[in-house]
């Protein structure tokens, strides 16, 4: 593979999990810029669990970007699914990179937008809830 | 999994015959071409034989060929050598004209020369990648040393009109240098008919070994060396010659032929036709005057590196149009120069074939590509 991607990156690039969109999503996070080469859209569905806490019940993504961008998108959906909103908000760039057994340094910033996308989706959900 | 190597603009497989010709020069005929004994003379004879073959392929004189370590060195030697000769001799000339679509080794040499006091004009190209000849003519002044224009472009395959450029340079009394690394043996190149004064050549793009190249310098043109030492290569390039490499380079030129070029053109056109059947694709570079082995296509709404990555899972090696996947994240300066917006530039794939490419490989590629493009488009938020 181009650059020295880890096995996990290649797996998630080849068979991305939770690909697609959610109709009537509770929150959508749109980040990135096609000029730079990466765009991520993240959709979340939020429900209350039996303890009354809001959790991410479902999450899906659409991504325009390189192998690292697709792999990080796939990874964040796996990390966030089933987590409470508070927990999901804490997922960082380095959490995503570590779960993928690391990313090439050159890809750390440009293609690791997924935690930003998740926070944007949660923000969107919260602002919709206020209305 | 079988490898399908579609990145021959990066480098090529060494031809078996080339390798066979080279091998004795490591273990039997290992002499230093500068030694006066018979071991040295064996090496020298082999080297001169290669020089003759290469000169003949260009329509040049044997002694006008200087061996170097490759295309990058030849390009550096040509431009720096001319600029500093003019500086040393106080000619008052300090101007270089080049284009916006050169290889990095020309552009970065020019940028460095600007810091040493050179004035550089970077010519525009049209949407197919052809140099604006009017702009070229108008840019030449009495301070111009040399016009350096790439023959066949390494990214988009456009072949410049050497005759016309050569005529303008001759008429205006300036030198004409071309980087012919991608075009050598693949399309017509003749230093007399095209009024070429300096030509950069290399070996590893034509099934020769890496680490060897040449610079043609027309008789009478003076340049200063980059390497100072024992005065090898007519005092222009000191350093013990890479005899085995030079022997391999000569052999590679010797066995290059029209039949292979015609075969590549056929397969190239089949690939282009097949790829363009996929919706929202666009061929970059010239339609007619194009390197026989180059295909450069943009696929709307998906990223080049992902396409390349999925192709790799099928054993197919290609490269992206942007430099994103390699050393920097900047989009290609060549695609920018032909007016491609950055989004399209990031969506570009370069496929470069060779004489070893088979019809079966082309068919297999055309079979798997549409599915990959469809999968990535389904994944993409951009519509």
């Amino acid at each position: 593979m181009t650059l020295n991607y880890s096995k996990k990156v290649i797996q998630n690039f080849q068979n991305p999990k939770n690909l697609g969109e959610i109709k009537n999503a509770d929150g959508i996070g749109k980040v990135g810029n096609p000029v730079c080469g990466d765009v991520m859209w993240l959709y979340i569905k939020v429900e209350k669990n039996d303890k009354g806490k809001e959790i991410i019940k479902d999450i899906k993504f659409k991504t325009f970007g390189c192998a690292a961008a697709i792999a990080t998108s796939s990874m964040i959906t796996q990390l966030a699914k089933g987590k409470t909103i508070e927990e999901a908000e804490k997922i960082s760039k380095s959490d995503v990179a570590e779960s993928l057994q690391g990313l090439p340094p050159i890809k750390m910033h440009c293609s690791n937008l997924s935690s930003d996308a998740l926070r944007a989706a949660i923000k969107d959900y919260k602002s919709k809830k206020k209305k | 999994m079988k490898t399908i190597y579609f990145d021959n603009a990066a480098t090529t497989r060494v031809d078996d015959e080339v390798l066979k010709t080279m091998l004795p020069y490591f273990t039997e005929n290992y002499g230093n071409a500068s030694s006066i004994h018979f071991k040295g003379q064996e090496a020298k004879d082999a080297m001169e034989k290669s020089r003759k073959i290469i000169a003949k392929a260009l329509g040049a004189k044997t002694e006008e060929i200087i061996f170097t370590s490759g295309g990058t060195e030849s390009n550096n030697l040509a431009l720096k050598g001319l600029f500093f000769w003019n500086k040393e001799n106080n000619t008052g000339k300090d101007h270089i004209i080049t284009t916006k679509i050169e290889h990095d080794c020309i552009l970065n040499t020019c940028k460095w020369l600007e810091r040493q006091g050179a004035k550089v004009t970077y010519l525009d190209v049209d949407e197919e990648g052809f140099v604006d000849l009017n702009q070229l003519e108008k840019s030449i002044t009495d301070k111009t040393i040399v016009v350096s224009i790439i023959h066949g472009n390494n990214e988009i395959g456009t072949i410049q009109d050497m005759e016309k450029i050569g005529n303008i340079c001759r008429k205006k009394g300036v030198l004409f240098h071309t980087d012919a690394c991608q075009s050598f043996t693949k399309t017509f190149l003749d230093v007399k008919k095209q009024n070429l004064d300096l030509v950069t050549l290399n070996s590893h793009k034509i099934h020769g070994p890496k680490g060897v190249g040449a610079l043609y310098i027309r008789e009478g043109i003076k340049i200063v060396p980059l390497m100072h030492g024992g005065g090898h290569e007519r005092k222009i390039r000191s350093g013990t010659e890479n005899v085995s490499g030079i022997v391999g380079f000569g052999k590679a030129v010797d066995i290059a032929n029209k039949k292979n070029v015609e075969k590549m053109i056929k397969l190239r056109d089949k690939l282009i036709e097949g790829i363009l059947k996929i919706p929202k694709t666009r061929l970059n570079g010239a339609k007619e005057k194009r390197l026989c082995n180059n295909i450069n296509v943009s696929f709307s709404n998906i990223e080049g590196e992902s396409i390349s990555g999925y192709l790799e899972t099928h054993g197919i090696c290609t490269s992206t149009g942007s430099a994103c996947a390699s050393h920097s994240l900047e989009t290609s300066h060549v695609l920018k120069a032909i007016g491609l917006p950055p989004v399209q530039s990031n969506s570009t794939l370069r496929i470069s074939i060779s004489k070893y490419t088979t019809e079966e490989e082309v068919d297999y590629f055309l079979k798997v590509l549409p599915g990959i493009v469809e999968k990535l488009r389904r994944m993409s938020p951009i519509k």
Side-chain angles (χ1 to χ4, degrees):
Chain A
M1 183 71 63
T2 31
L3 300 166
N4 283 323
Y5 285 132
S6 70
K7 254 191 192 150
K8 266 268 157 71
V9 170
I10 294 171
Q11 278 168 9
N12 278 276
F13 166 59
Q14 287 182 4
N15 293 303
K17 300 276 185 291
N18 304 307
L19 174 64
E21 52 193 293
I22 299 174
K23 296 253 149 59
N24 311 316
D26 295 320
I28 304 174
K30 297 180 178 181
V31 295
N33 176 346
V35 175
C36 316
D38 291 304
V39 179
M40 269 176 215
W41 289 10
L42 213 59
Y43 304 80
I44 54 169
K45 195 92 197 152
V46 181
E47 270 178 24
K48 280 194 174 142
N49 66 6
D50 42 20
K51 286 177 195 144
K53 279 211 162 184
E54 288 176 307
I55 61 155
I56 296 181
K57 179 76 184 163
D58 197 10
I59 177 164
K60 282 196 157 50
F61 80 91
K62 285 210 152 187
T63 291
F64 164 89
C66 62
I70 291 167
T72 52
S73 307
S74 165
M75 184 46 73
I76 196 113
T77 62
Q78 295 167 68
L79 291 176
K81 206 169 188 171
K83 293 263 176 17
T84 66
I85 292 287
E86 291 82 47
E87 285 166 343
E89 272 177 325
K90 283 183 200 144
I91 301 171
S92 68
K93 280 188 201 304
S94 53
D95 292 334
V96 176
E98 269 169 41
S99 307
L100 287 166
Q101 298 167 336
L103 280 174
I106 199 165
K107 296 286 181 185
M108 236 356 238
H109 293 283
C110 68
S111 309
N112 197 358
L113 294 166
S114 61
S115 52
D116 297 337
L118 179 59
R119 271 191 284 274
I122 293 170
K123 200 178 158 197
D124 182 49
Y125 160 70
K126 285 180 175 169
S127 73
K128 275 178 185 158
K129 208 171 72 168
K130 273 185 198 158
K131 279 174 196 169
Chain B
M1 190 164 47
K2 206 181 149 246
T3 299
I4 298 181
Y5 187 73
F6 279 179
D7 198 15
N8 289 281
T11 194
T12 58
R13 173 200 193 283
V14 171
D15 187 287
D16 291 327
E17 218 180 312
V18 168
L19 179 65
K20 212 175 106 193
T21 316
M22 289 171 71
L23 286 176
Y25 291 89
F26 290 101
T27 51
E28 288 159 50
N29 314 99
Y30 48 79
N32 183 324
S34 298
S35 301
I36 53 168
H37 50 65
F38 66 95
K39 283 314 260 183
Q41 287 311 298
E42 275 169 10
K44 187 162 197 261
D45 290 348
M47 203 169 78
E48 294 315 311
K49 196 178 150 197
S50 280
R51 204 188 302 276
K52 213 170 165 179
I53 293 167
I54 293 159
K56 201 179 153 213
L58 285 178
K61 291 179 195 157
T62 309
E63 59 276 15
E64 291 174 319
I65 304 295
I66 300 295
F67 287 115
T68 68
S69 66
T72 294
E73 187 189 332
S74 293
N75 280 337
N76 271 267
L77 177 59
L79 298 189
K80 291 178 185 170
L82 288 170
F83 176 77
F84 284 105
W85 187 86
N86 278 275
K87 203 170 177 179
E88 244 179 45
N89 290 277
N90 297 312
T91 62
K93 291 185 179 185
D94 60 0
H95 181 222
I96 293 167
I97 298 173
T98 187
T99 78
K100 290 181 177 166
I101 60 163
E102 298 301 311
H103 189 275
D104 276 340
C105 63
I106 288 285
L107 291 177
N108 287 332
T109 296
C110 285
K111 279 181 206 153
W112 183 80
L113 283 172
E114 283 182 277
R115 297 201 291 275
Q116 313 308 313
K119 311 274 186 299
V120 182
T121 303
Y122 301 91
L123 298 173
D124 295 313
V125 294
D126 66 17
E127 57 182 23
E128 283 196 315
F130 291 107
V131 169
D132 183 338
L133 298 176
N134 283 327
Q135 192 192 10
L136 165 65
E137 197 158 349
K138 279 185 212 148
S139 303
I140 299 172
T141 70
D142 54 0
K143 291 199 175 241
T144 306
I145 301 166
V146 62
V147 172
S148 178
I149 295 178
I150 190 165
H151 186 200
N153 186 270
N154 53 309
E155 285 190 43
I156 57 171
T158 303
I159 299 171
Q160 302 295 331
D161 193 330
M162 291 282 113
E163 276 89 341
K164 279 193 185 152
I165 299 168
N167 283 336
I168 292 170
C169 293
R170 191 52 55 90
K171 193 176 79 186
K172 294 272 188 175
V174 297
L175 299 176
F176 178 25
H177 165 251
T178 192
D179 172 358
C181 287
Q182 295 286 344
S183 59
F184 187 39
T185 73
K186 294 191 186 82
T187 187
F188 182 73
L189 185 65
D190 185 292
V191 296
K192 288 199 187 73
K193 290 189 180 123
Q194 296 169 324
N195 282 326
L196 282 155
D197 297 299
L198 300 99
V199 180
T200 290
L201 305 172
N202 79 356
S203 149
H204 77 99
K205 309 283 192 201
I206 56 169
H207 308 285
K210 293 168 184 63
V212 59
L215 181 65
Y216 155 80
I217 310 174
R218 187 189 288 278
E219 199 174 18
I221 293 170
K222 295 198 173 67
I223 68 169
V224 297
L226 299 177
M227 303 287 176
H228 298 88
H232 307 74
E233 297 295 297
R234 291 183 21 237
K235 297 196 174 110
I236 293 168
R237 207 275 187 180
S238 284
T240 299
E241 290 93 345
N242 173 4
V243 178
S244 55
I246 289 167
V247 166
F249 186 13
K251 190 69 190 176
V253 174
D254 199 29
I255 61 176
N257 62 63
K258 267 203 177 125
K259 238 175 91 184
N260 284 334
V261 171
E262 280 157 16
K263 181 191 154 189
M264 284 187 265
I265 289 175
K266 250 173 116 180
L267 292 176
R268 176 200 68 189
D269 291 345
K270 186 174 183 180
L271 276 163
I272 292 175
E273 209 193 308
I275 296 168
L276 293 183
K277 276 185 190 151
I278 301 172
K280 291 198 266 181
T281 49
R282 159 206 154 115
L283 179 71
N284 300 312
K287 275 163 202 76
E288 303 291 330
K289 292 175 187 162
R290 181 178 199 103
L291 288 172
C292 61
N293 67 338
N294 171 289
I295 296 137
N296 186 300
V297 200
S298 295
F299 299 83
S300 296
N301 309 332
I302 55 177
E303 221 255 355
E305 198 208 296
S306 312
I307 309 172
S308 182
Y310 277 128
L311 284 167
E312 209 178 318
T313 65
H314 295 275
I316 304 168
C317 304
T318 56
S319 74
T320 53
S322 77
C324 177
S326 49
H327 302 299
S328 77
L329 297 172
E330 283 163 36
T331 56
S332 148
H333 62 272
V334 176
L335 296 176
K336 193 177 163 197
I338 61 168
L340 214 63
V343 188
Q344 287 274 22
S345 188
N346 285 331
S347 304
T348 297
L349 193 71
R350 181 185 70 180
I351 300 130
S352 46
I353 58 172
S354 80
K355 65 175 180 181
Y356 293 117
T357 303
T358 64
E359 187 112 30
E360 290 73 51
E361 290 177 333
V362 168
D363 290 339
Y364 182 68
F365 177 85
L366 291 174
K367 203 179 100 186
V368 300
L369 182 68
I372 291 171
V373 173
E374 206 195 305
K375 181 173 175 179
L376 284 164
R377 281 190 176 151
R378 250 188 287 125
M379 223 181 266
S380 174
I382 304 167
K383 290 285 171 277

